[in-house]
Amino acid sequence: MTAVPVSTRVVFRAVLAVGLVCGVAGCADEPEPEAASASWREPDSYTYTLRSSEGERSLIGAFRITVRDGAVVKAVGLDDSGRRVVPDTVPTIGELLGEWRQARRDDADKAEVEYARDGHPERISLDWMENAIDDEALYVISDFEPADG
């Protein structure tokens, strides 16, 4: 077998190509979802719209929720399913994030959160067991408005 000399130029091109592929493919470390949420602090008082779907749970439907001093004080069902839910079962955004954190601790097959530009969560998707039926939860948060003051 004959040794073939490798020029510095060939090595440079190979390293450059690998770097470009990794950059495009996302080889760099991505921040953990918890790091993205660390900058957002749940205000004591706010309103938001929640659309809760998927799975077999009591919290299914659309709601307009008012939170004061860290607790839900008003929940209005915006659709037939939402009007049938007992208001005590409607969570704050912090409680939804707590469910997401618990799913991560429990090593759920899927525990994802997407954030808005201001840092509040917009979408939380959970699936404890990939092949189980009706154990999923999807929460879509919109119209988030912190209270003045």
PDB file of all heavy atoms in Angstrom, residues 54-92:
ATOM      1  N   GLU A  54     -56.623  16.877  23.445  1.00  0.00           N
ATOM      2  CA  GLU A  54     -55.982  15.561  23.390  1.00  0.00           C
ATOM      3  C   GLU A  54     -56.143  14.798  24.690  1.00  0.00           C
ATOM      4  O   GLU A  54     -56.257  15.370  25.761  1.00  0.00           O
ATOM      5  CB  GLU A  54     -54.507  15.666  22.991  1.00  0.00           C
ATOM      6  CG  GLU A  54     -54.341  16.258  21.602  1.00  0.00           C
ATOM      7  CD  GLU A  54     -52.913  16.228  21.112  1.00  0.00           C
ATOM      8  OE1 GLU A  54     -52.062  15.545  21.712  1.00  0.00           O
ATOM      9  OE2 GLU A  54     -52.648  16.897  20.098  1.00  0.00           O
ATOM     10  N   GLY A  55     -56.156  13.500  24.580  1.00  0.00           N
ATOM     11  CA  GLY A  55     -56.232  12.624  25.736  1.00  0.00           C
ATOM     12  C   GLY A  55     -57.625  12.539  26.341  1.00  0.00           C
ATOM     13  O   GLY A  55     -58.559  13.212  25.918  1.00  0.00           O
ATOM     14  N   GLU A  56     -57.732  11.675  27.320  1.00  0.00           N
ATOM     15  CA  GLU A  56     -58.970  11.494  28.086  1.00  0.00           C
ATOM     16  C   GLU A  56     -58.761  12.160  29.439  1.00  0.00           C
ATOM     17  O   GLU A  56     -58.196  11.573  30.352  1.00  0.00           O
ATOM     18  CB  GLU A  56     -59.275  10.008  28.260  1.00  0.00           C
ATOM     19  CG  GLU A  56     -59.798   9.322  27.024  1.00  0.00           C
ATOM     20  CD  GLU A  56     -61.191   9.796  26.644  1.00  0.00           C
ATOM     21  OE1 GLU A  56     -62.020  10.069  27.542  1.00  0.00           O
ATOM     22  OE2 GLU A  56     -61.450   9.887  25.432  1.00  0.00           O
ATOM     23  N   ARG A  57     -59.162  13.408  29.538  1.00  0.00           N
ATOM     24  CA  ARG A  57     -58.984  14.183  30.763  1.00  0.00           C
ATOM     25  C   ARG A  57     -60.211  15.043  30.971  1.00  0.00           C
ATOM     26  O   ARG A  57     -60.972  15.281  30.054  1.00  0.00           O
ATOM     27  CB  ARG A  57     -57.741  15.093  30.651  1.00  0.00           C
ATOM     28  CG  ARG A  57     -56.479  14.355  30.337  1.00  0.00           C
ATOM     29  CD  ARG A  57     -55.301  15.270  29.999  1.00  0.00           C
ATOM     30  NE  ARG A  57     -55.532  16.015  28.763  1.00  0.00           N
ATOM     31  CZ  ARG A  57     -55.647  17.335  28.699  1.00  0.00           C
ATOM     32  NH1 ARG A  57     -55.542  18.080  29.764  1.00  0.00           N
ATOM     33  NH2 ARG A  57     -55.859  17.943  27.548  1.00  0.00           N
ATOM     34  N   SER A  58     -60.364  15.544  32.175  1.00  0.00           N
ATOM     35  CA  SER A  58     -61.512  16.422  32.426  1.00  0.00           C
ATOM     36  C   SER A  58     -61.279  17.819  31.855  1.00  0.00           C
ATOM     37  O   SER A  58     -62.232  18.514  31.532  1.00  0.00           O
ATOM     38  CB  SER A  58     -61.803  16.510  33.924  1.00  0.00           C
ATOM     39  OG  SER A  58     -60.694  17.060  34.602  1.00  0.00           O
ATOM     40  N   LEU A  59     -60.028  18.228  31.712  1.00  0.00           N
ATOM     41  CA  LEU A  59     -59.716  19.572  31.227  1.00  0.00           C
ATOM     42  C   LEU A  59     -59.576  19.567  29.706  1.00  0.00           C
ATOM     43  O   LEU A  59     -58.484  19.527  29.161  1.00  0.00           O
ATOM     44  CB  LEU A  59     -58.423  20.097  31.877  1.00  0.00           C
ATOM     45  CG  LEU A  59     -58.048  21.534  31.520  1.00  0.00           C
ATOM     46  CD1 LEU A  59     -59.115  22.514  32.013  1.00  0.00           C
ATOM     47  CD2 LEU A  59     -56.698  21.889  32.089  1.00  0.00           C
ATOM     48  N   ILE A  60     -60.707  19.595  29.032  1.00  0.00           N
ATOM     49  CA  ILE A  60     -60.752  19.666  27.569  1.00  0.00           C
ATOM     50  C   ILE A  60     -61.641  20.843  27.211  1.00  0.00           C
ATOM     51  O   ILE A  60     -62.738  20.990  27.753  1.00  0.00           O
ATOM     52  CB  ILE A  60     -61.330  18.369  26.946  1.00  0.00           C
ATOM     53  CG1 ILE A  60     -60.449  17.167  27.283  1.00  0.00           C
ATOM     54  CG2 ILE A  60     -61.526  18.516  25.449  1.00  0.00           C
ATOM     55  CD1 ILE A  60     -59.116  17.130  26.564  1.00  0.00           C
ATOM     56  N   GLY A  61     -61.151  21.690  26.318  1.00  0.00           N
ATOM     57  CA  GLY A  61     -61.964  22.816  25.876  1.00  0.00           C
ATOM     58  C   GLY A  61     -61.163  24.098  25.820  1.00  0.00           C
ATOM     59  O   GLY A  61     -59.942  24.108  25.987  1.00  0.00           O
ATOM     60  N   ALA A  62     -61.895  25.182  25.585  1.00  0.00           N
ATOM     61  CA  ALA A  62     -61.288  26.513  25.498  1.00  0.00           C
ATOM     62  C   ALA A  62     -61.816  27.367  26.652  1.00  0.00           C
ATOM     63  O   ALA A  62     -63.012  27.315  26.980  1.00  0.00           O
ATOM     64  CB  ALA A  62     -61.630  27.162  24.168  1.00  0.00           C
ATOM     65  N   PHE A  63     -60.909  28.148  27.245  1.00  0.00           N
ATOM     66  CA  PHE A  63     -61.237  28.926  28.433  1.00  0.00           C
ATOM     67  C   PHE A  63     -60.559  30.290  28.380  1.00  0.00           C
ATOM     68  O   PHE A  63     -59.439  30.417  27.893  1.00  0.00           O
ATOM     69  CB  PHE A  63     -60.722  28.221  29.701  1.00  0.00           C
ATOM     70  CG  PHE A  63     -61.076  26.778  29.773  1.00  0.00           C
ATOM     71  CD1 PHE A  63     -60.244  25.816  29.203  1.00  0.00           C
ATOM     72  CD2 PHE A  63     -62.232  26.371  30.403  1.00  0.00           C
ATOM     73  CE1 PHE A  63     -60.569  24.484  29.255  1.00  0.00           C
ATOM     74  CE2 PHE A  63     -62.565  25.026  30.462  1.00  0.00           C
ATOM     75  CZ  PHE A  63     -61.722  24.080  29.884  1.00  0.00           C
ATOM     76  N   ARG A  64     -61.201  31.298  28.942  1.00  0.00           N
ATOM     77  CA  ARG A  64     -60.568  32.589  29.214  1.00  0.00           C
ATOM     78  C   ARG A  64     -60.384  32.619  30.722  1.00  0.00           C
ATOM     79  O   ARG A  64     -61.359  32.520  31.487  1.00  0.00           O
ATOM     80  CB  ARG A  64     -61.430  33.755  28.723  1.00  0.00           C
ATOM     81  CG  ARG A  64     -60.775  35.101  28.907  1.00  0.00           C
ATOM     82  CD  ARG A  64     -59.553  35.249  28.016  1.00  0.00           C
ATOM     83  NE  ARG A  64     -58.917  36.560  28.239  1.00  0.00           N
ATOM     84  CZ  ARG A  64     -57.688  36.834  27.896  1.00  0.00           C
ATOM     85  NH1 ARG A  64     -56.948  35.918  27.305  1.00  0.00           N
ATOM     86  NH2 ARG A  64     -57.177  38.013  28.126  1.00  0.00           N
ATOM     87  N   ILE A  65     -59.132  32.747  31.160  1.00  0.00           N
ATOM     88  CA  ILE A  65     -58.797  32.559  32.569  1.00  0.00           C
ATOM     89  C   ILE A  65     -58.224  33.848  33.155  1.00  0.00           C
ATOM     90  O   ILE A  65     -57.391  34.502  32.534  1.00  0.00           O
ATOM     91  CB  ILE A  65     -57.786  31.405  32.716  1.00  0.00           C
ATOM     92  CG1 ILE A  65     -58.420  30.116  32.165  1.00  0.00           C
ATOM     93  CG2 ILE A  65     -57.339  31.234  34.152  1.00  0.00           C
ATOM     94  CD1 ILE A  65     -57.449  28.999  31.930  1.00  0.00           C
ATOM     95  N   THR A  66     -58.682  34.180  34.357  1.00  0.00           N
ATOM     96  CA  THR A  66     -58.168  35.325  35.094  1.00  0.00           C
ATOM     97  C   THR A  66     -57.477  34.816  36.353  1.00  0.00           C
ATOM     98  O   THR A  66     -58.057  34.041  37.121  1.00  0.00           O
ATOM     99  CB  THR A  66     -59.307  36.289  35.485  1.00  0.00           C
ATOM    100  OG1 THR A  66     -59.991  36.695  34.292  1.00  0.00           O
ATOM    101  CG2 THR A  66     -58.775  37.508  36.210  1.00  0.00           C
ATOM    102  N   VAL A  67     -56.230  35.252  36.537  1.00  0.00           N
ATOM    103  CA  VAL A  67     -55.432  34.864  37.702  1.00  0.00           C
ATOM    104  C   VAL A  67     -55.154  36.123  38.516  1.00  0.00           C
ATOM    105  O   VAL A  67     -54.744  37.147  37.966  1.00  0.00           O
ATOM    106  CB  VAL A  67     -54.100  34.211  37.252  1.00  0.00           C
ATOM    107  CG1 VAL A  67     -53.210  33.915  38.452  1.00  0.00           C
ATOM    108  CG2 VAL A  67     -54.367  32.948  36.440  1.00  0.00           C
ATOM    109  N   ARG A  68     -55.401  36.050  39.813  1.00  0.00           N
ATOM    110  CA  ARG A  68     -55.112  37.155  40.738  1.00  0.00           C
ATOM    111  C   ARG A  68     -54.360  36.572  41.929  1.00  0.00           C
ATOM    112  O   ARG A  68     -54.769  35.537  42.472  1.00  0.00           O
ATOM    113  CB  ARG A  68     -56.387  37.837  41.242  1.00  0.00           C
ATOM    114  CG  ARG A  68     -57.164  38.555  40.171  1.00  0.00           C
ATOM    115  CD  ARG A  68     -56.481  39.868  39.765  1.00  0.00           C
ATOM    116  NE  ARG A  68     -57.209  40.498  38.695  1.00  0.00           N
ATOM    117  CZ  ARG A  68     -56.834  40.508  37.417  1.00  0.00           C
ATOM    118  NH1 ARG A  68     -55.731  39.915  37.049  1.00  0.00           N
ATOM    119  NH2 ARG A  68     -57.550  41.117  36.501  1.00  0.00           N
ATOM    120  N   ASP A  69     -53.296  37.225  42.313  1.00  0.00           N
ATOM    121  CA  ASP A  69     -52.487  36.783  43.453  1.00  0.00           C
ATOM    122  C   ASP A  69     -52.108  35.306  43.346  1.00  0.00           C
ATOM    123  O   ASP A  69     -52.134  34.567  44.332  1.00  0.00           O
ATOM    124  CB  ASP A  69     -53.220  37.055  44.766  1.00  0.00           C
ATOM    125  CG  ASP A  69     -53.461  38.542  44.976  1.00  0.00           C
ATOM    126  OD1 ASP A  69     -52.561  39.337  44.632  1.00  0.00           O
ATOM    127  OD2 ASP A  69     -54.547  38.908  45.466  1.00  0.00           O
ATOM    128  N   GLY A  70     -51.797  34.863  42.126  1.00  0.00           N
ATOM    129  CA  GLY A  70     -51.309  33.505  41.901  1.00  0.00           C
ATOM    130  C   GLY A  70     -52.358  32.413  41.849  1.00  0.00           C
ATOM    131  O   GLY A  70     -52.009  31.237  41.787  1.00  0.00           O
ATOM    132  N   ALA A  71     -53.647  32.771  41.880  1.00  0.00           N
ATOM    133  CA  ALA A  71     -54.712  31.764  41.858  1.00  0.00           C
ATOM    134  C   ALA A  71     -55.753  32.122  40.801  1.00  0.00           C
ATOM    135  O   ALA A  71     -56.016  33.301  40.547  1.00  0.00           O
ATOM    136  CB  ALA A  71     -55.379  31.674  43.227  1.00  0.00           C
ATOM    137  N   VAL A  72     -56.347  31.101  40.206  1.00  0.00           N
ATOM    138  CA  VAL A  72     -57.420  31.327  39.251  1.00  0.00           C
ATOM    139  C   VAL A  72     -58.634  31.848  40.005  1.00  0.00           C
ATOM    140  O   VAL A  72     -59.109  31.216  40.949  1.00  0.00           O
ATOM    141  CB  VAL A  72     -57.782  30.029  38.487  1.00  0.00           C
ATOM    142  CG1 VAL A  72     -59.013  30.226  37.614  1.00  0.00           C
ATOM    143  CG2 VAL A  72     -56.599  29.567  37.644  1.00  0.00           C
ATOM    144  N   VAL A  73     -59.120  33.030  39.603  1.00  0.00           N
ATOM    145  CA  VAL A  73     -60.300  33.608  40.246  1.00  0.00           C
ATOM    146  C   VAL A  73     -61.508  33.582  39.319  1.00  0.00           C
ATOM    147  O   VAL A  73     -62.639  33.744  39.780  1.00  0.00           O
ATOM    148  CB  VAL A  73     -60.047  35.058  40.737  1.00  0.00           C
ATOM    149  CG1 VAL A  73     -58.996  35.058  41.847  1.00  0.00           C
ATOM    150  CG2 VAL A  73     -59.651  35.972  39.599  1.00  0.00           C
ATOM    151  N   LYS A  74     -61.257  33.366  38.024  1.00  0.00           N
ATOM    152  CA  LYS A  74     -62.367  33.323  37.082  1.00  0.00           C
ATOM    153  C   LYS A  74     -61.944  32.496  35.870  1.00  0.00           C
ATOM    154  O   LYS A  74     -60.832  32.634  35.372  1.00  0.00           O
ATOM    155  CB  LYS A  74     -62.738  34.740  36.625  1.00  0.00           C
ATOM    156  CG  LYS A  74     -63.934  34.813  35.714  1.00  0.00           C
ATOM    157  CD  LYS A  74     -64.254  36.270  35.391  1.00  0.00           C
ATOM    158  CE  LYS A  74     -65.458  36.373  34.476  1.00  0.00           C
ATOM    159  NZ  LYS A  74     -65.702  37.779  34.093  1.00  0.00           N
ATOM    160  N   ALA A  75     -62.838  31.622  35.452  1.00  0.00           N
ATOM    161  CA  ALA A  75     -62.614  30.821  34.250  1.00  0.00           C
ATOM    162  C   ALA A  75     -63.924  30.760  33.484  1.00  0.00           C
ATOM    163  O   ALA A  75     -64.936  30.307  34.014  1.00  0.00           O
ATOM    164  CB  ALA A  75     -62.136  29.423  34.604  1.00  0.00           C
ATOM    165  N   VAL A  76     -63.890  31.239  32.257  1.00  0.00           N
ATOM    166  CA  VAL A  76     -65.081  31.259  31.420  1.00  0.00           C
ATOM    167  C   VAL A  76     -64.868  30.276  30.277  1.00  0.00           C
ATOM    168  O   VAL A  76     -63.891  30.389  29.527  1.00  0.00           O
ATOM    169  CB  VAL A  76     -65.327  32.678  30.857  1.00  0.00           C
ATOM    170  CG1 VAL A  76     -66.534  32.689  29.926  1.00  0.00           C
ATOM    171  CG2 VAL A  76     -65.500  33.676  31.986  1.00  0.00           C
ATOM    172  N   GLY A  77     -65.775  29.310  30.156  1.00  0.00           N
ATOM    173  CA  GLY A  77     -65.706  28.367  29.050  1.00  0.00           C
ATOM    174  C   GLY A  77     -66.067  29.077  27.754  1.00  0.00           C
ATOM    175  O   GLY A  77     -67.070  29.791  27.688  1.00  0.00           O
ATOM    176  N   LEU A  78     -65.246  28.875  26.734  1.00  0.00           N
ATOM    177  CA  LEU A  78     -65.475  29.539  25.449  1.00  0.00           C
ATOM    178  C   LEU A  78     -66.100  28.616  24.407  1.00  0.00           C
ATOM    179  O   LEU A  78     -66.448  29.072  23.329  1.00  0.00           O
ATOM    180  CB  LEU A  78     -64.152  30.096  24.906  1.00  0.00           C
ATOM    181  CG  LEU A  78     -63.425  31.078  25.823  1.00  0.00           C
ATOM    182  CD1 LEU A  78     -62.096  31.488  25.202  1.00  0.00           C
ATOM    183  CD2 LEU A  78     -64.298  32.287  26.109  1.00  0.00           C
ATOM    184  N   ASP A  79     -66.220  27.347  24.727  1.00  0.00           N
ATOM    185  CA  ASP A  79     -66.870  26.383  23.832  1.00  0.00           C
ATOM    186  C   ASP A  79     -67.679  25.404  24.689  1.00  0.00           C
ATOM    187  O   ASP A  79     -67.657  25.490  25.921  1.00  0.00           O
ATOM    188  CB  ASP A  79     -65.840  25.663  22.941  1.00  0.00           C
ATOM    189  CG  ASP A  79     -64.812  24.849  23.707  1.00  0.00           C
ATOM    190  OD1 ASP A  79     -64.929  24.706  24.948  1.00  0.00           O
ATOM    191  OD2 ASP A  79     -63.872  24.339  23.068  1.00  0.00           O
ATOM    192  N   ASP A  80     -68.413  24.503  24.051  1.00  0.00           N
ATOM    193  CA  ASP A  80     -69.260  23.564  24.798  1.00  0.00           C
ATOM    194  C   ASP A  80     -68.460  22.753  25.813  1.00  0.00           C
ATOM    195  O   ASP A  80     -68.874  22.595  26.959  1.00  0.00           O
ATOM    196  CB  ASP A  80     -70.002  22.630  23.851  1.00  0.00           C
ATOM    197  CG  ASP A  80     -71.119  23.334  23.089  1.00  0.00           C
ATOM    198  OD1 ASP A  80     -71.555  24.423  23.540  1.00  0.00           O
ATOM    199  OD2 ASP A  80     -71.544  22.803  22.041  1.00  0.00           O
ATOM    200  N   SER A  81     -67.303  22.244  25.404  1.00  0.00           N
ATOM    201  CA  SER A  81     -66.482  21.446  26.321  1.00  0.00           C
ATOM    202  C   SER A  81     -66.002  22.295  27.487  1.00  0.00           C
ATOM    203  O   SER A  81     -66.029  21.855  28.637  1.00  0.00           O
ATOM    204  CB  SER A  81     -65.275  20.858  25.587  1.00  0.00           C
ATOM    205  OG  SER A  81     -65.691  19.945  24.611  1.00  0.00           O
ATOM    206  N   GLY A  82     -65.558  23.500  27.216  1.00  0.00           N
ATOM    207  CA  GLY A  82     -65.067  24.388  28.263  1.00  0.00           C
ATOM    208  C   GLY A  82     -66.145  24.787  29.256  1.00  0.00           C
ATOM    209  O   GLY A  82     -65.870  24.962  30.440  1.00  0.00           O
ATOM    210  N   ARG A  83     -67.379  24.919  28.790  1.00  0.00           N
ATOM    211  CA  ARG A  83     -68.473  25.300  29.691  1.00  0.00           C
ATOM    212  C   ARG A  83     -68.866  24.152  30.620  1.00  0.00           C
ATOM    213  O   ARG A  83     -69.480  24.376  31.652  1.00  0.00           O
ATOM    214  CB  ARG A  83     -69.666  25.779  28.885  1.00  0.00           C
ATOM    215  CG  ARG A  83     -69.455  27.182  28.308  1.00  0.00           C
ATOM    216  CD  ARG A  83     -70.685  27.737  27.626  1.00  0.00           C
ATOM    217  NE  ARG A  83     -70.883  27.199  26.291  1.00  0.00           N
ATOM    218  CZ  ARG A  83     -70.316  27.681  25.188  1.00  0.00           C
ATOM    219  NH1 ARG A  83     -69.489  28.707  25.264  1.00  0.00           N
ATOM    220  NH2 ARG A  83     -70.552  27.139  24.007  1.00  0.00           N
ATOM    221  N   ARG A  84     -68.488  22.921  30.288  1.00  0.00           N
ATOM    222  CA  ARG A  84     -68.824  21.773  31.141  1.00  0.00           C
ATOM    223  C   ARG A  84     -67.787  21.503  32.226  1.00  0.00           C
ATOM    224  O   ARG A  84     -68.022  20.707  33.116  1.00  0.00           O
ATOM    225  CB  ARG A  84     -68.989  20.516  30.285  1.00  0.00           C
ATOM    226  CG  ARG A  84     -70.271  20.489  29.482  1.00  0.00           C
ATOM    227  CD  ARG A  84     -70.510  19.111  28.892  1.00  0.00           C
ATOM    228  NE  ARG A  84     -69.514  18.764  27.890  1.00  0.00           N
ATOM    229  CZ  ARG A  84     -69.642  18.964  26.582  1.00  0.00           C
ATOM    230  NH1 ARG A  84     -70.728  19.519  26.104  1.00  0.00           N
ATOM    231  NH2 ARG A  84     -68.696  18.594  25.743  1.00  0.00           N
ATOM    232  N   VAL A  85     -66.611  22.125  32.152  1.00  0.00           N
ATOM    233  CA  VAL A  85     -65.528  21.870  33.112  1.00  0.00           C
ATOM    234  C   VAL A  85     -65.771  22.637  34.397  1.00  0.00           C
ATOM    235  O   VAL A  85     -66.173  23.791  34.378  1.00  0.00           O
ATOM    236  CB  VAL A  85     -64.163  22.267  32.497  1.00  0.00           C
ATOM    237  CG1 VAL A  85     -63.065  22.213  33.540  1.00  0.00           C
ATOM    238  CG2 VAL A  85     -63.829  21.355  31.340  1.00  0.00           C
ATOM    239  N   VAL A  86     -65.512  21.986  35.513  1.00  0.00           N
ATOM    240  CA  VAL A  86     -65.607  22.641  36.808  1.00  0.00           C
ATOM    241  C   VAL A  86     -64.473  23.664  36.907  1.00  0.00           C
ATOM    242  O   VAL A  86     -63.311  23.312  36.704  1.00  0.00           O
ATOM    243  CB  VAL A  86     -65.482  21.601  37.947  1.00  0.00           C
ATOM    244  CG1 VAL A  86     -65.522  22.272  39.305  1.00  0.00           C
ATOM    245  CG2 VAL A  86     -66.565  20.545  37.809  1.00  0.00           C
ATOM    246  N   PRO A  87     -64.758  24.948  37.201  1.00  0.00           N
ATOM    247  CA  PRO A  87     -63.718  25.974  37.232  1.00  0.00           C
ATOM    248  C   PRO A  87     -62.530  25.668  38.140  1.00  0.00           C
ATOM    249  O   PRO A  87     -61.441  26.129  37.901  1.00  0.00           O
ATOM    250  CB  PRO A  87     -64.456  27.227  37.704  1.00  0.00           C
ATOM    251  CG  PRO A  87     -65.859  26.992  37.288  1.00  0.00           C
ATOM    252  CD  PRO A  87     -66.081  25.507  37.419  1.00  0.00           C
ATOM    253  N   ASP A  88     -62.703  24.874  39.200  1.00  0.00           N
ATOM    254  CA  ASP A  88     -61.588  24.544  40.101  1.00  0.00           C
ATOM    255  C   ASP A  88     -60.488  23.751  39.390  1.00  0.00           C
ATOM    256  O   ASP A  88     -59.370  23.685  39.877  1.00  0.00           O
ATOM    257  CB  ASP A  88     -62.084  23.737  41.296  1.00  0.00           C
ATOM    258  CG  ASP A  88     -62.953  24.568  42.223  1.00  0.00           C
ATOM    259  OD1 ASP A  88     -62.935  25.811  42.112  1.00  0.00           O
ATOM    260  OD2 ASP A  88     -63.653  23.974  43.058  1.00  0.00           O
ATOM    261  N   THR A  89     -60.799  23.143  38.253  1.00  0.00           N
ATOM    262  CA  THR A  89     -59.809  22.321  37.567  1.00  0.00           C
ATOM    263  C   THR A  89     -59.008  23.104  36.536  1.00  0.00           C
ATOM    264  O   THR A  89     -58.129  22.550  35.903  1.00  0.00           O
ATOM    265  CB  THR A  89     -60.475  21.121  36.864  1.00  0.00           C
ATOM    266  OG1 THR A  89     -61.353  21.612  35.859  1.00  0.00           O
ATOM    267  CG2 THR A  89     -61.214  20.247  37.849  1.00  0.00           C
ATOM    268  N   VAL A  90     -59.278  24.386  36.367  1.00  0.00           N
ATOM    269  CA  VAL A  90     -58.571  25.191  35.373  1.00  0.00           C
ATOM    270  C   VAL A  90     -57.282  25.718  36.003  1.00  0.00           C
ATOM    271  O   VAL A  90     -57.316  26.357  37.054  1.00  0.00           O
ATOM    272  CB  VAL A  90     -59.464  26.341  34.865  1.00  0.00           C
ATOM    273  CG1 VAL A  90     -58.730  27.181  33.854  1.00  0.00           C
ATOM    274  CG2 VAL A  90     -60.742  25.765  34.249  1.00  0.00           C
ATOM    275  N   PRO A  91     -56.119  25.480  35.381  1.00  0.00           N
ATOM    276  CA  PRO A  91     -54.839  25.822  35.990  1.00  0.00           C
ATOM    277  C   PRO A  91     -54.318  27.212  35.631  1.00  0.00           C
ATOM    278  O   PRO A  91     -54.704  27.810  34.632  1.00  0.00           O
ATOM    279  CB  PRO A  91     -53.905  24.766  35.404  1.00  0.00           C
ATOM    280  CG  PRO A  91     -54.478  24.531  34.034  1.00  0.00           C
ATOM    281  CD  PRO A  91     -55.982  24.649  34.195  1.00  0.00           C
ATOM    282  N   THR A  92     -53.387  27.677  36.442  1.00  0.00           N
ATOM    283  CA  THR A  92     -52.592  28.846  36.101  1.00  0.00           C
ATOM    284  C   THR A  92     -51.528  28.399  35.100  1.00  0.00           C
ATOM    285  O   THR A  92     -51.291  27.197  34.922  1.00  0.00           O
ATOM    286  CB  THR A  92     -51.892  29.428  37.349  1.00  0.00           C
ATOM    287  OG1 THR A  92     -50.941  28.471  37.818  1.00  0.00           O
ATOM    288  CG2 THR A  92     -52.877  29.779  38.446  1.00  0.00           C
TER     289      THR A  92
END
